[in-house]
Amino acid sequence: MKRLSRYRRHKAAGPALLIFALLAIGTTFSVASATTTAQTTTADRSALIEEGRQIFLKGCSSCHGLNSEGGAIAPSLVGVGAASVDFQVGTGRMPMADMSTQAMRKEPLYTPEETAALAAYVASLAPGPEIPTEEQLNYERDGSTAEGGELFRNNCAMCHNFAGQGGALTQGKYAPTLMGVEPKHIYEAMVTGPQSMPVFSDKTITPEEKMSIIKWIKAAEAEPNLGGASLGRVGPVTEGLLAWTLGLGVLIGVAVWLAMKAR
Amino acid sequence: MTAEARLGQVANYVDERTGAAAWMKKNLQKVFPDHWSFLLGEVALYSFIILLLSGTFLTFWFDPSQREVIYEGSYAPLEGIKMSAAYASTLHISFEVRGGLLMRQIHHWAALIFMAAIVAHLMRVFFTGAFRKPREGNWIIGVGLLTLGIVEGFLGYSLPDDLLSGTGIRIAEAIIQAIPVVGSYLAYFAFGGAFPGEAFIPRIYTVHVLLLPGAFLALITAHLMLVWYQKHTQYPGPGRTEKNVVGYPLMPVYMAKAGGFFFIVFGVIAFLSAVASINPIWLYGPYTPGQISAGSQPDWYMGWLDGLVRMAPPLESHYFGYTVSWNILIPGLIVPGILFTGMALYPFIESWITGDKREHHLLDRPRNAPNRTALGAMSITFMIVALINGGNDLIATHFDLSINQIMWGTRFGIFILPPIAFVVTKRLCLSLQRADRELVLHGRETGRLLRLPHGEFVEVHEPISPEKAYLLTSHEQAPALELPEVDGRGVKRAGAIRNKIRSRMSVAHSEAIPKVSADDLKEIEH
Amino acid sequence: MSNEIEAIKDPGLPAHVHRKADHDPVAAKRAERQVAILFGISALGTLLLIFSYSFIPDDVFIFIPVMGEQNAHQLGLGLGMAISLFFIGMGAIHWAKTLMPDQEVIAHRHEFRSPDSDRKEFVQAVKDGAGAAGLGRRSLIKRSLGAALGLSALSPILLLRDLGPLPGNELEKTTWKAGTHLVTDPGNRRIKASDLEVGAVAQVLPEIEDPEHRHLSDIAKDAVLLIRLRPDEFNLDADRLAMTHEGIIAFSKICSHMGCAVALYEQQTKHLLCPCHQSTFDVTRAAKVIFGPAARPLPQLDITVDGEGYLVARNPFSEPVGPSFWERDSR
């Protein structure tokens, strides 16, 4: 996935890239809003919930229980809210492919419409965090990159690394990279606290501040490599490796040539 | 006037005032043996010069102050953020000074290569036995330079006052604070009060740009003068003896090669700095004690130390209201202290074991000193295990492991793997000696098969050249020291245990596959 | 080495093999041309550097395979410099290898040890000098000089005294007092217990009058992490449980090992991990160390709410925060 997004960036020149990114985000929004407008009337809504329940019974209930009450291997979904479902299912984490240490981001199994139905069903069980609307997610207008950076370093960098590249947690768990994650999903993760991640309440980090964080992450993602190849933006480890291999390696190569007798 | 005549005039002017001609004449003909491994020290020397040049450039704009400023420069994601003047001026060098980012990256890459070259040079000197008499003093200077390099590098890494380096300073402060009795006092003196204060960066700046470079210059001068005066060692081979040195004269060949190599080193470092980002401090953000990034690591030459600290057991003693933090002292001070002292004293330890007090100018082939080579491999293994743990979080995420597994692996590995490396390397050296012996006795395998009249197949062996045969047999094979426990009159000697240890080590050190003698060869011919 | 065994004889330096350029003027000319070309490439590198410096603005980005988007100005400067330097070196070395004499020469070493007569004379000179100064006889001078030198070494140590104040009990003190409000970092907003959902964390600092000018040295001791669990998830003794408020527990964010910010909270396992050295603390058991080099739990802050429901500290920290130091237990 990471490689794919980098490849996409390869194809486009700087300004074109920006336009492309904006277009991509815009398209996502229109898809997202298309699903939300479907929930306008009550009749539509109960139909949606019923559709979600059917999907749930087929795809989720074996682990989460017929009434979402949870089980030995999966938590209860009562009160987790639509945002949680949208994040877990929308990023492909749920349903889990295997019972490994943690659910990985992958190609979503359900279509956006099915995801919306599932979210509506789970939200109907008990109130919980809502999926942010397109209007709420206007981070380009409402956010401040610098303030977002400050908040990010205070609240996120300890797990996701200074540039959002992800990092290790205990016992093989890890904080995933934030590169290429949709703004909606970043927001949902902050309010729902999926898996190892804690919840960042709207009172301690206000929705406006969350927009700033998203804006900073998107800025970091779009930031070109100012000083040469980024080496993964993971700090001195890769730098040391390169100094020994490419740096000293080339120098030793030249030294061997230097000491060789000419013919 | 011709160019030659003009040059003559200058030479005359200088010589009449200094009498330099006699000295210069001799030294321009100085002979340097040629081998790629002899250039590792040169890489370090040239990196140092590059560090001086690029570092001076950086001082023109760097403001070593922890005064709080609001950033108003051109890097938008930090606009309006509170930071120290040191961090803000580093951003200024990176983004507003043309070529400033390139110079910063040259400075940092040169520092990494400087340290890597020092370590590689040290390994070359160790594995070839170049530290033996009369070069023990120069070995100690070298260990001093390595130690200074680690300190100097750490201080330089700390100067920009970014989130990563500030975390490094925090850890350094904790190590100082952990020193028994005087720790908290030393920490308060170093930081001018409570951590982080506003005094530390200006202070380490002076140390980084004045005190330590001065010490470096003095030690490097002494290091080079000794090399010059004692003449370079050389690898064994036909025509090369303890009494001569075979190579190229300084003027013109070595001068052109060494001078050219300086430009090569500078060019390669400039290339790295052009294509690969290093220490992107604008991404790290300014330092504040409440923030941290996942995967906080030091530069590689400190990584082993960080790895040792990570794997330390959670030990702390509380005696009569006083605290001793073994979890910091053992990995942070005691183990490095033992390692570096042992390294500095190694030439004396080896000569005590072998009883060899003669001068050595011919290098050992590493296989011909199995014990020493094995010890070197063991030390390198120790360092690599520690280094791996220093990057355990990144290794965990990139290779789908868990930090707990790596930590436990290295906790055991640091005790188990080095001895295994010792045994394996020693066996390997002895096998190589055996292979050498075979080669001299029976010649090179040609891969050509011959069918004998009675149907047997044999491979044709070709005798090796007399030069090669000499190279493979010219080394010394000294027997172990004979240290009887009783002296001539049957009285037990003093220091029996010490003697026993020495005797044991001497036996281990002299273990070897007997090399081929001329008699052996004659016998085979018959 | 035992002498009975006859070693294989040294055949002496191998004969010098001439290079092509030594006897073939065409080859020599070619080598000369190669050297000149290498120097020429270097000159082109400098031109690239000058061009990049003067004509490429620093906001132009170009795409390079493998490396991604690159700043053209920086890349041009660097590559120009690298080419100009590297090829001077290549030219010089190629010149030395192909056209300068490549016959190895032999220099002789001499023993470093001085002749016995010199050594004797040196020892005598030292003895004479010392004798003339009366170093051996005048022990009063010797001893007083020794004492004076030793004492004079104290002055630089003494003069360094003002590098910093004495720590006193500062390492044990933080800004937290009974009744200090917990405020968000950054933001400096007070927090109500209801602001935190179960599973939520918050980075907090003590409320001060002038939050714009908070000292870093205060943050280095004051930073606190708030975590909300379900009260039944705690596994605490009564004293520690009383220090929590409705499932909200507060720990010093400064690692008890080496002072890094311990803020990796794993919501499912309720573990706190320090990214510097991977000490792991169990939040449900009062930050007991369960992995890594830290030897002590993180200090817990005693919290409650004020009349308006805002979280406040009920007591200051009962033990020093941050890494250990010698006098730590004595107070």
Side-chain angles (χ1 to χ4, degrees), chain A residues 57-128:
Chain A
L57 289 175
K58 270 194 224 114
C60 317
S61 61
S62 57
C63 297
H64 289 286
L66 288 172
N67 299 310
S68 308
E69 73 277 14
I73 48 166
S76 157
L77 298 182
V78 179
V80 298
S84 197
V85 178
D86 192 52
F87 175 84
Q88 300 283 6
V89 180
T91 60
R93 284 181 168 79
M94 290 293 152
M96 270 173 101
D98 57 285
M99 287 294 153
S100 54
T101 344
Q102 81 185 62
M104 279 179 298
R105 189 169 138 199
K106 54 184 185 289
E107 212 38 60
L109 191 71
Y110 294 110
T111 63
E113 291 73 29
E114 288 168 331
T115 309
L118 264 176
Y121 166 68
V122 171
S124 72
L125 299 171

Side-chain angles (χ1 to χ4, degrees), chain C residues 28-95:
Chain C
K29 200 75 202 161
R30 193 187 318 127
E32 189 182 345
R33 242 185 349 256
Q34 285 166 344
V35 173
I37 289 172
L38 288 170
F39 286 147
I41 297 175
S42 156
L44 290 180
T46 309
L47 288 181
L48 173 62
L49 179 124
I50 296 170
F51 175 78
S52 309
Y53 190 90
S54 320
F55 300 111
I56 304 182
D58 60 6
D59 52 0
V60 175
F61 291 89
I62 49 169
F63 171 74
I64 310 274
V66 184
M67 292 163 60
E69 290 290 308
Q70 296 297 319
N71 184 313
H73 176 74
Q74 151 86 6
L75 191 67
L77 277 183
L79 284 182
M81 192 167 173
I83 291 169
S84 82
L85 293 165
F86 187 80
F87 285 95
I88 290 179
M90 292 294 278
I93 294 171
H94 193 58
W95 180 13

Side-chain angles (χ1 to χ4, degrees), chain B residues 365-491:
Chain B
R365 299 172 74 222
R367 69 183 63 174
N368 290 334
N371 223 45
R372 181 202 296 146
T373 306
L375 190 69
M378 178 167 139
S379 315
I380 293 172
T381 311
F382 180 91
M383 284 294 169
I384 288 178
V385 172
L387 198 57
I388 284 173
N389 201 40
N392 60 1
D393 35 7
L394 281 175
I395 294 171
T397 47
H398 283 79
F399 297 99
D400 283 338
L401 294 166
S402 98
I403 48 175
N404 307 64
Q405 288 166 350
I406 301 175
M407 189 89 97
W408 277 112
T410 53
R411 274 175 174 177
F412 286 111
I414 201 102
F415 293 106
I416 297 168
L417 294 177
I420 291 178
F422 183 93
V423 174
V424 168
T425 311
K426 191 160 179 182
R427 293 292 120 199
L428 216 62
C429 286
L430 292 172
S431 299
L432 286 169
Q433 286 187 13
R434 211 168 282 129
D436 281 354
R437 188 184 158 84
E438 286 298 303
L439 198 58
V440 178
L441 283 178
H442 306 299
R444 195 170 58 86
E445 294 171 358
T446 55
R448 273 185 290 130
L449 289 182
L450 214 62
R451 190 174 171 184
L452 299 182
H454 56 274
E456 187 195 345
F457 284 95
V458 290
E459 190 179 0
V460 178
H461 284 238
E462 228 169 44
I464 51 172
S465 68
E467 281 83 11
K468 182 101 191 188
Y470 175 70
L471 171 69
L472 298 182
T473 55
S474 64
H475 60 285
E476 279 190 351
Q477 288 189 322
L481 283 181
E482 284 179 31
L483 299 162
E485 276 177 40
V486 288
D487 65 12
R489 271 168 290 176
V491 182

Side-chain angles (χ1 to χ4, degrees), chain B residues 255-284:
Chain B
M255 215 179 239
K257 282 189 171 181
F261 198 56
F262 167 74
F263 288 96
I264 297 276
V265 175
F266 208 159
V268 168
I269 289 175
F271 176 73
L272 269 179
S273 312
V275 300
S277 172
I278 188 166
N279 205 24
I281 52 129
W282 56 91
L283 289 172
Y284 299 155

